[in-house]
Amino acid sequence: MTLIGAEGGGSESDSDEIDAERAQASLRAWEKKYQSERAWEDLEEDPLTGRLRVNARAVELRARERRAKMASAALRGGAAKGMMRFAYVVVDLSRAANEEDFRPNRLSVVGHCAAAFVREFFNQNPLSQLGIIVARNGVAERLTELSGSPEAHCAALRNALDASGDFSLQNTLNAARTSLKSIPSYGSREVLYIMSSLATCDPGNVWTEIQATKAAKVRVSVVAVAAELHVARRLSEETGGTYGVSMNADHLDDLIMAHAPPPPLAEDATKSCLVQMGFPQKKHVSKDALIVGTRGDYVCPRCSGRIDELPSQCTVCRLTLVSSPHLARSYHHLFPVPAFKEYASRNVSAKESGIVALECSACLASITDASLASECEHCSNVFCFACDIFIHERLHNCPHCSCATHVESRKKAS
Amino acid sequence: MPEPRDDDVTDDRSLLIVLVETNPRTWETSEGKGEGTPASRGLSSVLGATITFLNAFFALNQQNRAVVVAVHGDGCHYLYTSPLGVETDEDGDEAEDARWANKVGGLDPLQSEAGPTILRRLGELNAAETGSSATGAKRDKADSDDGPATSPFAGALSLALCYCNRAQALENAAGLRSKPRILCLQASQDNPTDYIPMMNAIFSAQRQSIPVDAFALGEHDSPFMQQAAHITRGAYVKPTLGDGLLQYLLSTAVMDLRSRAFLKLPAARGVDFRASCFCHNGPSSVGLRVLRLPLRLLRRSSRVRHVRHHIRRPRRSIIDVIDPSSRAISPPRPPARPPARA
């Protein structure tokens, strides 16, 4: 009897256990995504201070993976780049932005990311223009018109960081669309939403506005701070943009920054045309010179008129004038440095023997961990990890290849 | 005048990177050097001035660091690097005393080695070069035929920026402020094919806020260096008195960036902002930008064929600058013409 009872009890507890396991397994389903990350293993104790710190090597390896992924994505896109972009950033300043799930709150994190995005946008797209629209109290407020000055945008945004009321998708979309309507056909029209709200409060039917936006060839991308919203996803899908939901502040930053490089160009979105422009030289003008009109430092190459600032139009002959460094800022999109290949994969035996003392060919740092070193495919020079990143993300030149192309071009010329 | 700061008691540590042109092809000819320019007095006088200048730079601050890069014909080579190690107190007093016992002429012994090291490394470089080119005498002859000699300054700037990046990372980790700057001593003319790498390097220097000081030693102005100095807020100097190079260097480039605010630096007379034509590698002042085509600059003399070629075969980009003189493609006319003179 006791045995049976014990058996019965045993089977019951077994089934309980199975249920619990199942429940745990289903709980783990979403965790599985993070299992591979094992964030705690990156922590290590600093031998000097005893504080916990993030293991630099693990972070570097992950950064490298992420970069490789981004580079391959960029290659896959194979898209036209270097275009003139006309973009509006819509910052959601409804009451949802006061939530404190990000530290200190969403508002400050979003404000910080948006300002960083504006600067990066102009770094990557020097000839483009950008404007900011804020959404609060159910209306869309055009904070800055389309213009090319990052500092003006950042200052305006800084002063406007104050959240209240509802978010209106229709109103903001309408504000952006009407402003982008007058953009010449060679520019791409874009809107980027940074959206904290989980609801939209509209005066009419938001779907008609979405269709109108689509018809106006405005590309709308949405970065959601909180969670996915059906209407926002449909909006981005309809207009050919991207949709992303952030997991944490870093991820939000990544998602927003992903919109800084020029997006792939739709075939029919813009058409080619020729724009004549001049590159004025800067010449000092003596105090005694007799000048009619403005007394600028720049000289128009066609009519020798004086101009105050660049970029602008010549006041005399209406030639579009730009500074050539301004144009040159986007060259690195057109001639990117090819990704370096991993050094260790080819020289494992050398690494194991540990005899070779490696030195970075750019900064002369000794490379202690050969698995992080990389090698340029063209000039076969070895670079340390820091230089690898620096060269690809900021410098956009391989130092030794630029010497080598120099020599080659001279040979070709001869 | 800048306002005095709290930390005025401690001088700024500087990291100075000197890019000096040592390309034998530049120095063996007298072409393009003109009369009375520093370049006309030869490499040894320029090197002498540079080394004296470096010693003065070291003497200003014990913690000043310098790097000398030779911009050679076949590439760029580090000639001298100051030890980058961040000073710690754990060295022990004995080691410290020993170092100071060896002090030469007010300089740290590690610093006073700069001059001899530079000359020795340069000698090694030249020996290696003559060794390798003994068989390639024919090539040398062919080389000397084509136009004025140029040197890879874009690569040298890139190298210097990589070094600055490393130095800054090291010093930031140690909680120190580091103020790198770059000094270019260029004797040859610009090579227009270097336009893109040069611009990339300049923008990178601007983002890191590293000023680039440029000395054009030869007869001609260097538009690239003018732009580099203009964009990074450095000084562009074209010495007119050849034997005064040292004086120009000392009065312009020796002070740290903070003290520099008190100096009246030579004003740039003008900056040549012309871009390079992609087809002909010549400077271009008026261009047509073709949207949806590669960002290219084709100068005035570009033939229609080129323009058509670029339009017919669009690459992966949007912006192109071509020459307007080709009427066949009918560039858009400006809306208003300058009024004709009566």
Side-chain angles (χ1 to χ4, degrees), chain A residues 80-82 84 186 267 273-277 279-280 282 284 302 324-325 329 331 334 362-363 390 396-397 406-407 410, chain B residues 78 146 150 158 166 191 197 200 203 206 270-271 273 285 287 289-292 295 297 316-319 324 332 334:
Chain A
K81 288 194 168 173
M84 290 175 93
Y186 54 77
E267 268 310 307
C273 61
L274 299 162
V275 179
Q276 193 171 25
M277 49 174 53
F279 306 106
K282 192 177 182 185
H284 184 68
R302 187 156 74 184
S324 64
R329 259 172 211 275
Y331 282 171
L334 311 175
C363 70
F390 177 72
H396 307 294
N397 272 343
H406 174 94
V407 174
R410 305 237 16 115
Chain B
Y78 283 103
D146 71 286
T150 58
S158 311
R166 174 189 163 208
N191 181 3
N200 285 340
F203 293 133
Q206 185 195 20
V271 182
F273 270 125
S285 58
R289 204 175 70 220
V290 180
L291 300 150
R292 294 216 65 179
L295 190 81
L297 300 164
R316 286 171 158 196
S317 169
I318 297 301
I319 301 172

Short mmCIF file of all heavy atoms in Angstrom, two decimals, chain A residues 80-82 84 186 267 273-277 279-280 282 284 302 324-325 329 331 334 362-363 390 396-397 406-407 410, chain B residues 78 146 150 158 166 191 197 200 203 206 270-271 273 285 287 289-292 295 297 316-319 324 332 334:
data_model
loop_
_atom_site.label_atom_id
_atom_site.label_comp_id
_atom_site.label_asym_id
_atom_site.label_seq_id
_atom_site.Cartn_x
_atom_site.Cartn_y
_atom_site.Cartn_z
N ALA A 80 24.02 52.67 -54.71
CA ALA A 80 24.57 53.96 -55.06
C ALA A 80 24.74 54.80 -53.80
O ALA A 80 23.90 54.79 -52.92
CB ALA A 80 23.62 54.65 -56.02
N LYS A 81 25.84 55.49 -53.74
CA LYS A 81 26.10 56.28 -52.54
C LYS A 81 26.62 57.65 -52.92
O LYS A 81 26.93 57.92 -54.05
CB LYS A 81 27.09 55.55 -51.66
CG LYS A 81 26.47 54.36 -51.00
CD LYS A 81 27.32 53.85 -49.88
CE LYS A 81 26.52 52.85 -49.09
NZ LYS A 81 27.33 52.20 -48.08
N GLY A 82 26.73 58.47 -51.90
CA GLY A 82 27.27 59.80 -52.13
C GLY A 82 26.22 60.78 -52.61
O GLY A 82 26.52 61.85 -53.08
N MET A 84 22.80 63.29 -52.51
CA MET A 84 22.34 64.36 -51.62
C MET A 84 21.09 63.87 -50.93
O MET A 84 20.12 63.47 -51.57
CB MET A 84 22.04 65.61 -52.44
CG MET A 84 23.28 66.26 -52.98
SD MET A 84 22.86 67.63 -54.04
CE MET A 84 22.92 68.98 -52.89
N TYR A 186 16.84 65.20 -57.70
CA TYR A 186 18.06 64.43 -57.52
C TYR A 186 18.34 64.11 -56.07
O TYR A 186 19.23 63.33 -55.76
CB TYR A 186 19.26 65.16 -58.15
CG TYR A 186 19.45 66.59 -57.69
CD1 TYR A 186 20.01 66.89 -56.47
CD2 TYR A 186 19.07 67.63 -58.52
CE1 TYR A 186 20.18 68.20 -56.06
CE2 TYR A 186 19.23 68.95 -58.13
CZ TYR A 186 19.79 69.22 -56.90
OH TYR A 186 19.96 70.51 -56.50
N GLU A 267 15.97 52.52 -57.65
CA GLU A 267 16.33 52.83 -59.03
C GLU A 267 15.65 54.10 -59.54
O GLU A 267 16.25 54.93 -60.20
CB GLU A 267 15.98 51.65 -59.94
CG GLU A 267 17.13 50.67 -60.14
CD GLU A 267 18.43 51.36 -60.55
OE1 GLU A 267 18.39 52.12 -61.53
OE2 GLU A 267 19.46 51.16 -59.90
N CYS A 273 21.13 64.30 -63.33
CA CYS A 273 21.14 65.58 -63.99
C CYS A 273 22.50 66.21 -63.71
O CYS A 273 23.26 65.72 -62.90
CB CYS A 273 20.02 66.48 -63.49
SG CYS A 273 20.14 66.83 -61.76
N LEU A 274 22.78 67.28 -64.38
CA LEU A 274 24.08 67.91 -64.22
C LEU A 274 23.92 69.20 -63.44
O LEU A 274 23.00 69.97 -63.68
CB LEU A 274 24.67 68.22 -65.60
CG LEU A 274 24.91 67.00 -66.47
CD1 LEU A 274 25.05 67.43 -67.91
CD2 LEU A 274 26.14 66.29 -66.03
N VAL A 275 24.79 69.41 -62.55
CA VAL A 275 24.76 70.65 -61.80
C VAL A 275 26.14 71.29 -61.95
O VAL A 275 27.15 70.66 -61.65
CB VAL A 275 24.48 70.40 -60.31
CG1 VAL A 275 24.48 71.71 -59.55
CG2 VAL A 275 23.17 69.69 -60.14
N GLN A 276 26.13 72.50 -62.45
CA GLN A 276 27.42 73.15 -62.64
C GLN A 276 27.83 73.81 -61.34
O GLN A 276 27.00 74.43 -60.67
CB GLN A 276 27.29 74.20 -63.73
CG GLN A 276 28.62 74.71 -64.20
CD GLN A 276 28.49 75.58 -65.42
OE1 GLN A 276 27.44 76.18 -65.63
NE2 GLN A 276 29.53 75.67 -66.19
N MET A 277 29.08 73.65 -61.00
CA MET A 277 29.51 74.32 -59.78
C MET A 277 30.97 74.74 -59.84
O MET A 277 31.75 74.22 -60.62
CB MET A 277 29.26 73.44 -58.56
CG MET A 277 29.75 72.04 -58.67
SD MET A 277 29.54 71.20 -57.12
CE MET A 277 27.83 71.48 -56.82
N PHE A 279 34.64 75.99 -57.73
CA PHE A 279 35.41 75.84 -56.50
C PHE A 279 36.22 77.12 -56.28
O PHE A 279 37.29 77.27 -56.85
CB PHE A 279 36.35 74.65 -56.60
CG PHE A 279 35.65 73.39 -56.96
CD1 PHE A 279 35.78 72.85 -58.22
CD2 PHE A 279 34.84 72.76 -56.05
CE1 PHE A 279 35.12 71.69 -58.56
CE2 PHE A 279 34.17 71.60 -56.39
CZ PHE A 279 34.31 71.07 -57.65
N PRO A 280 35.70 78.04 -55.51
CA PRO A 280 36.39 79.32 -55.34
C PRO A 280 37.69 79.14 -54.58
O PRO A 280 37.84 78.22 -53.78
CB PRO A 280 35.41 80.14 -54.50
CG PRO A 280 34.18 79.34 -54.41
CD PRO A 280 34.52 77.94 -54.68
N LYS A 282 40.43 80.96 -51.94
CA LYS A 282 40.41 81.95 -50.88
C LYS A 282 41.57 82.92 -51.11
O LYS A 282 42.71 82.49 -51.20
CB LYS A 282 40.56 81.27 -49.53
CG LYS A 282 40.27 82.20 -48.39
CD LYS A 282 40.35 81.49 -47.06
CE LYS A 282 40.00 82.47 -45.97
NZ LYS A 282 40.16 81.93 -44.66
N HIS A 284 43.15 86.75 -49.99
CA HIS A 284 43.04 87.87 -49.08
C HIS A 284 42.87 89.15 -49.89
O HIS A 284 43.50 89.33 -50.92
CB HIS A 284 44.30 87.95 -48.22
CG HIS A 284 44.21 89.03 -47.20
ND1 HIS A 284 43.33 88.96 -46.14
CD2 HIS A 284 44.87 90.19 -47.08
CE1 HIS A 284 43.47 90.05 -45.41
NE2 HIS A 284 44.40 90.81 -45.95
N ARG A 302 34.43 81.94 -62.03
CA ARG A 302 33.92 82.31 -63.35
C ARG A 302 33.91 83.82 -63.53
O ARG A 302 34.34 84.33 -64.56
CB ARG A 302 32.51 81.75 -63.55
CG ARG A 302 32.02 81.96 -64.96
CD ARG A 302 30.97 80.98 -65.35
NE ARG A 302 29.70 81.29 -64.71
CZ ARG A 302 28.63 80.53 -64.82
NH1 ARG A 302 28.68 79.42 -65.52
NH2 ARG A 302 27.52 80.86 -64.23
N SER A 324 35.88 72.65 -52.28
CA SER A 324 36.16 71.28 -52.72
C SER A 324 36.41 70.34 -51.55
O SER A 324 36.06 69.16 -51.64
CB SER A 324 37.33 71.26 -53.70
OG SER A 324 38.50 71.67 -53.06
N PRO A 325 36.99 70.79 -50.42
CA PRO A 325 37.08 69.88 -49.29
C PRO A 325 35.70 69.40 -48.85
O PRO A 325 35.53 68.27 -48.40
CB PRO A 325 37.71 70.74 -48.18
CG PRO A 325 38.46 71.77 -48.87
CD PRO A 325 37.70 72.05 -50.13
N ARG A 329 34.66 65.29 -48.65
CA ARG A 329 34.33 64.58 -47.43
C ARG A 329 33.60 63.27 -47.67
O ARG A 329 33.58 62.40 -46.82
CB ARG A 329 33.44 65.45 -46.56
CG ARG A 329 34.17 66.10 -45.46
CD ARG A 329 33.27 67.06 -44.77
NE ARG A 329 34.05 68.16 -44.26
CZ ARG A 329 34.66 68.13 -43.09
NH1 ARG A 329 34.55 67.08 -42.31
NH2 ARG A 329 35.36 69.14 -42.68
N TYR A 331 34.18 61.30 -50.27
CA TYR A 331 34.95 60.41 -51.14
C TYR A 331 35.15 59.03 -50.53
O TYR A 331 35.21 58.04 -51.23
CB TYR A 331 36.34 61.00 -51.42
CG TYR A 331 36.34 62.09 -52.45
CD1 TYR A 331 37.47 62.84 -52.69
CD2 TYR A 331 35.21 62.35 -53.21
CE1 TYR A 331 37.48 63.85 -53.62
CE2 TYR A 331 35.21 63.36 -54.13
CZ TYR A 331 36.35 64.11 -54.34
OH TYR A 331 36.36 65.10 -55.26
N LEU A 334 33.08 56.27 -51.62
CA LEU A 334 33.26 55.77 -52.99
C LEU A 334 34.49 54.88 -53.10
O LEU A 334 34.54 53.97 -53.88
CB LEU A 334 33.40 56.94 -53.96
CG LEU A 334 32.34 58.01 -53.79
CD1 LEU A 334 32.62 59.17 -54.70
CD2 LEU A 334 30.98 57.43 -54.09
N ALA A 362 51.79 50.50 -38.58
CA ALA A 362 51.37 51.89 -38.62
C ALA A 362 51.79 52.64 -37.36
O ALA A 362 52.32 53.74 -37.44
CB ALA A 362 49.86 51.97 -38.79
N CYS A 363 51.55 52.06 -36.18
CA CYS A 363 51.79 52.83 -34.96
C CYS A 363 52.95 52.26 -34.15
O CYS A 363 53.24 52.77 -33.07
CB CYS A 363 50.53 52.90 -34.12
SG CYS A 363 50.07 51.34 -33.36
N PHE A 390 40.79 52.18 -36.53
CA PHE A 390 41.02 53.60 -36.83
C PHE A 390 41.07 53.82 -38.34
O PHE A 390 40.46 54.76 -38.86
CB PHE A 390 42.32 54.04 -36.16
CG PHE A 390 42.69 55.46 -36.45
CD1 PHE A 390 41.99 56.50 -35.89
CD2 PHE A 390 43.76 55.74 -37.28
CE1 PHE A 390 42.33 57.81 -36.16
CE2 PHE A 390 44.11 57.04 -37.55
CZ PHE A 390 43.39 58.08 -36.99
N HIS A 396 40.19 56.14 -43.23
CA HIS A 396 39.80 55.73 -44.59
C HIS A 396 40.98 55.72 -45.57
O HIS A 396 40.82 56.00 -46.74
CB HIS A 396 38.68 56.62 -45.13
CG HIS A 396 37.51 56.71 -44.21
ND1 HIS A 396 36.72 55.64 -43.94
CD2 HIS A 396 37.03 57.73 -43.49
CE1 HIS A 396 35.78 55.99 -43.09
NE2 HIS A 396 35.94 57.26 -42.80
N ASN A 397 42.18 55.48 -45.08
CA ASN A 397 43.37 55.33 -45.92
C ASN A 397 44.17 54.18 -45.35
O ASN A 397 44.34 54.13 -44.14
CB ASN A 397 44.31 56.53 -45.74
CG ASN A 397 44.00 57.66 -46.66
OD1 ASN A 397 43.31 57.47 -47.64
ND2 ASN A 397 44.51 58.81 -46.33
N HIS A 406 51.04 55.78 -54.73
CA HIS A 406 51.81 56.92 -55.17
C HIS A 406 52.94 56.47 -56.10
O HIS A 406 53.10 56.98 -57.19
CB HIS A 406 52.37 57.62 -53.93
CG HIS A 406 53.30 58.74 -54.25
ND1 HIS A 406 52.86 60.03 -54.33
CD2 HIS A 406 54.61 58.76 -54.53
CE1 HIS A 406 53.87 60.79 -54.62
NE2 HIS A 406 54.95 60.06 -54.74
N VAL A 407 53.66 55.47 -55.62
CA VAL A 407 54.79 54.99 -56.42
C VAL A 407 54.30 54.41 -57.73
O VAL A 407 54.84 54.68 -58.80
CB VAL A 407 55.59 53.95 -55.61
CG1 VAL A 407 56.67 53.34 -56.47
CG2 VAL A 407 56.18 54.59 -54.37
N ARG A 410 53.27 56.92 -60.29
CA ARG A 410 54.43 57.58 -60.90
C ARG A 410 55.01 56.69 -61.99
O ARG A 410 55.38 57.14 -63.05
CB ARG A 410 55.51 57.88 -59.87
CG ARG A 410 55.00 58.68 -58.74
CD ARG A 410 55.73 59.96 -58.52
NE ARG A 410 56.57 60.40 -59.62
CZ ARG A 410 56.33 61.50 -60.29
NH1 ARG A 410 55.27 62.22 -60.04
NH2 ARG A 410 57.15 61.88 -61.22
N TYR B 78 59.73 55.32 -40.23
CA TYR B 78 59.99 56.00 -38.97
C TYR B 78 61.49 56.13 -38.79
O TYR B 78 62.23 55.15 -38.87
CB TYR B 78 59.43 55.19 -37.81
CG TYR B 78 57.94 55.30 -37.65
CD1 TYR B 78 57.09 54.29 -38.08
CD2 TYR B 78 57.38 56.42 -37.07
CE1 TYR B 78 55.72 54.39 -37.93
CE2 TYR B 78 56.01 56.54 -36.91
CZ TYR B 78 55.19 55.52 -37.34
OH TYR B 78 53.84 55.64 -37.19
N ASP B 146 60.00 61.77 -66.06
CA ASP B 146 58.62 62.27 -66.02
C ASP B 146 58.43 63.34 -64.95
O ASP B 146 58.35 63.08 -63.78
CB ASP B 146 57.66 61.11 -65.79
CG ASP B 146 57.76 60.55 -64.40
OD1 ASP B 146 58.75 59.85 -64.10
OD2 ASP B 146 56.87 60.83 -63.62
N THR B 150 57.73 63.81 -56.86
CA THR B 150 56.79 64.02 -55.77
C THR B 150 57.00 62.96 -54.72
O THR B 150 57.63 61.95 -54.97
CB THR B 150 55.34 63.94 -56.25
OG1 THR B 150 55.15 62.65 -56.84
CG2 THR B 150 55.02 65.01 -57.26
N SER B 158 48.88 59.80 -42.98
CA SER B 158 48.08 58.69 -42.45
C SER B 158 48.85 57.97 -41.36
O SER B 158 48.30 57.63 -40.30
CB SER B 158 47.72 57.70 -43.56
OG SER B 158 47.20 58.37 -44.66
N ARG B 166 47.35 56.05 -31.39
CA ARG B 166 47.86 55.15 -30.37
C ARG B 166 48.32 55.94 -29.15
O ARG B 166 48.02 55.59 -28.01
CB ARG B 166 49.02 54.35 -30.95
CG ARG B 166 49.70 53.49 -29.92
CD ARG B 166 50.97 52.91 -30.49
NE ARG B 166 51.81 52.41 -29.43
CZ ARG B 166 53.13 52.36 -29.51
NH1 ARG B 166 53.73 52.78 -30.60
NH2 ARG B 166 53.84 51.89 -28.52
N ASN B 191 51.38 65.72 -55.54
CA ASN B 191 51.02 64.76 -56.57
C ASN B 191 49.50 64.70 -56.63
O ASN B 191 48.87 64.25 -55.69
CB ASN B 191 51.60 63.39 -56.20
CG ASN B 191 51.29 62.36 -57.24
OD1 ASN B 191 50.69 62.67 -58.25
ND2 ASN B 191 51.68 61.14 -56.98
N PRO B 197 43.39 60.31 -50.82
CA PRO B 197 43.99 59.96 -49.53
C PRO B 197 44.39 61.18 -48.71
O PRO B 197 44.22 61.19 -47.49
CB PRO B 197 45.21 59.12 -49.90
CG PRO B 197 45.28 59.04 -51.35
CD PRO B 197 44.05 59.62 -51.93
N ASN B 200 41.25 62.57 -47.12
CA ASN B 200 40.82 61.70 -46.03
C ASN B 200 41.67 61.94 -44.80
O ASN B 200 41.16 62.02 -43.68
CB ASN B 200 40.93 60.23 -46.45
CG ASN B 200 39.84 59.83 -47.40
OD1 ASN B 200 38.80 60.48 -47.46
ND2 ASN B 200 40.06 58.77 -48.15
N PHE B 203 40.81 65.31 -43.12
CA PHE B 203 39.57 65.31 -42.36
C PHE B 203 39.72 64.51 -41.08
O PHE B 203 39.14 64.85 -40.05
CB PHE B 203 38.42 64.74 -43.20
CG PHE B 203 38.08 65.61 -44.35
CD1 PHE B 203 37.91 65.10 -45.60
CD2 PHE B 203 37.97 66.98 -44.17
CE1 PHE B 203 37.62 65.93 -46.68
CE2 PHE B 203 37.70 67.81 -45.22
CZ PHE B 203 37.52 67.28 -46.48
N GLN B 206 41.39 66.67 -38.68
CA GLN B 206 40.47 67.68 -38.18
C GLN B 206 39.56 67.10 -37.10
O GLN B 206 39.32 67.72 -36.08
CB GLN B 206 39.62 68.20 -39.34
CG GLN B 206 38.72 69.34 -38.95
CD GLN B 206 37.65 69.60 -39.99
OE1 GLN B 206 37.35 68.73 -40.82
NE2 GLN B 206 37.08 70.76 -39.96
N GLY B 270 46.35 82.99 -48.88
CA GLY B 270 45.21 82.51 -49.64
C GLY B 270 45.28 81.01 -49.67
O GLY B 270 46.32 80.42 -49.38
N VAL B 271 44.18 80.39 -49.98
CA VAL B 271 44.16 78.95 -50.04
C VAL B 271 43.62 78.54 -51.40
O VAL B 271 42.60 79.05 -51.85
CB VAL B 271 43.27 78.35 -48.93
CG1 VAL B 271 43.29 76.86 -48.99
CG2 VAL B 271 43.71 78.84 -47.58
N PHE B 273 41.67 76.26 -53.26
CA PHE B 273 40.67 75.25 -52.91
C PHE B 273 40.28 74.38 -54.09
O PHE B 273 39.28 73.72 -54.04
CB PHE B 273 39.40 75.93 -52.39
CG PHE B 273 39.43 76.13 -50.93
CD1 PHE B 273 39.23 77.37 -50.38
CD2 PHE B 273 39.65 75.06 -50.08
CE1 PHE B 273 39.27 77.56 -49.02
CE2 PHE B 273 39.67 75.25 -48.73
CZ PHE B 273 39.48 76.49 -48.19
N SER B 285 38.80 74.18 -61.39
CA SER B 285 38.15 75.21 -60.60
C SER B 285 36.66 75.33 -60.88
O SER B 285 35.91 75.76 -60.05
CB SER B 285 38.83 76.56 -60.81
OG SER B 285 38.78 76.89 -62.15
N GLY B 287 33.44 72.92 -62.25
CA GLY B 287 33.11 71.57 -62.66
C GLY B 287 31.63 71.40 -62.79
O GLY B 287 30.85 72.24 -62.39
N ARG B 289 28.73 68.83 -61.67
CA ARG B 289 28.52 67.67 -60.82
C ARG B 289 27.39 66.87 -61.43
O ARG B 289 26.32 67.39 -61.69
CB ARG B 289 28.15 68.10 -59.42
CG ARG B 289 28.49 67.04 -58.45
CD ARG B 289 28.24 67.50 -57.07
NE ARG B 289 26.83 67.59 -56.86
CZ ARG B 289 26.24 68.55 -56.20
NH1 ARG B 289 26.95 69.50 -55.69
NH2 ARG B 289 24.97 68.58 -56.03
N VAL B 290 27.65 65.62 -61.69
CA VAL B 290 26.62 64.78 -62.25
C VAL B 290 26.07 63.95 -61.13
O VAL B 290 26.78 63.16 -60.52
CB VAL B 290 27.18 63.87 -63.34
CG1 VAL B 290 26.06 63.01 -63.89
CG2 VAL B 290 27.78 64.68 -64.42
N LEU B 291 24.80 64.11 -60.86
CA LEU B 291 24.23 63.33 -59.79
C LEU B 291 23.96 61.94 -60.33
O LEU B 291 23.69 61.78 -61.50
CB LEU B 291 22.97 64.01 -59.31
CG LEU B 291 23.39 65.39 -58.81
CD1 LEU B 291 22.29 66.36 -58.99
CD2 LEU B 291 23.85 65.35 -57.40
N ARG B 292 24.05 60.97 -59.50
CA ARG B 292 23.93 59.56 -59.84
C ARG B 292 25.15 59.02 -60.54
O ARG B 292 25.10 57.95 -61.12
CB ARG B 292 22.72 59.29 -60.74
CG ARG B 292 21.42 59.54 -60.06
CD ARG B 292 20.42 58.54 -60.51
NE ARG B 292 20.78 57.20 -60.09
CZ ARG B 292 20.03 56.17 -60.36
NH1 ARG B 292 18.95 56.30 -61.04
NH2 ARG B 292 20.38 55.00 -59.94
N LEU B 295 31.49 60.33 -57.85
CA LEU B 295 31.94 61.65 -57.47
C LEU B 295 33.27 61.89 -58.13
O LEU B 295 34.28 61.37 -57.71
CB LEU B 295 32.08 61.69 -55.98
CG LEU B 295 32.29 63.05 -55.40
CD1 LEU B 295 30.97 63.74 -55.29
CD2 LEU B 295 32.89 62.92 -54.06
N LEU B 297 35.81 64.63 -60.48
CA LEU B 297 36.05 65.98 -60.92
C LEU B 297 36.81 65.89 -62.22
O LEU B 297 37.85 65.26 -62.30
CB LEU B 297 36.91 66.71 -59.90
CG LEU B 297 36.29 66.78 -58.52
CD1 LEU B 297 37.33 67.16 -57.52
CD2 LEU B 297 35.20 67.79 -58.53
N ARG B 316 28.66 53.21 -58.95
CA ARG B 316 27.80 53.05 -57.81
C ARG B 316 27.63 54.33 -57.02
O ARG B 316 27.56 54.29 -55.83
CB ARG B 316 28.44 52.05 -56.87
CG ARG B 316 28.33 50.65 -57.37
CD ARG B 316 29.19 49.88 -56.46
NE ARG B 316 28.79 48.50 -56.49
CZ ARG B 316 29.17 47.66 -55.56
NH1 ARG B 316 29.89 48.07 -54.55
NH2 ARG B 316 28.82 46.43 -55.62
N SER B 317 27.62 55.42 -57.65
CA SER B 317 27.49 56.60 -56.84
C SER B 317 26.73 57.68 -57.56
O SER B 317 26.26 57.51 -58.66
CB SER B 317 28.84 57.09 -56.47
OG SER B 317 28.65 58.33 -55.92
N ILE B 318 26.65 58.80 -56.93
CA ILE B 318 25.69 59.78 -57.36
C ILE B 318 26.34 61.05 -57.86
O ILE B 318 25.88 61.64 -58.81
CB ILE B 318 24.84 60.18 -56.15
CG1 ILE B 318 24.09 58.96 -55.70
CG2 ILE B 318 23.87 61.23 -56.53
CD1 ILE B 318 23.26 58.43 -56.76
N ILE B 319 27.36 61.47 -57.18
CA ILE B 319 27.80 62.82 -57.46
C ILE B 319 29.06 62.78 -58.32
O ILE B 319 29.96 62.02 -58.07
CB ILE B 319 28.09 63.57 -56.16
CG1 ILE B 319 26.83 63.58 -55.33
CG2 ILE B 319 28.52 64.97 -56.45
CD1 ILE B 319 27.04 64.10 -53.98
N PRO B 324 32.58 71.74 -67.56
CA PRO B 324 31.43 72.34 -68.23
C PRO B 324 31.71 72.76 -69.66
O PRO B 324 30.79 73.11 -70.39
CB PRO B 324 31.17 73.58 -67.39
CG PRO B 324 32.52 73.96 -66.91
CD PRO B 324 33.33 72.71 -66.79
N PRO B 332 23.27 72.75 -67.76
CA PRO B 332 22.24 73.74 -67.47
C PRO B 332 22.85 75.13 -67.38
O PRO B 332 23.87 75.32 -66.75
CB PRO B 332 21.71 73.29 -66.11
CG PRO B 332 22.76 72.40 -65.55
CD PRO B 332 23.48 71.79 -66.70
N PRO B 334 23.23 78.94 -66.26
CA PRO B 334 22.85 79.68 -65.07
C PRO B 334 21.68 80.58 -65.40
O PRO B 334 21.58 81.09 -66.51
CB PRO B 334 24.10 80.49 -64.73
CG PRO B 334 24.87 80.54 -65.99
CD PRO B 334 24.56 79.29 -66.74
#
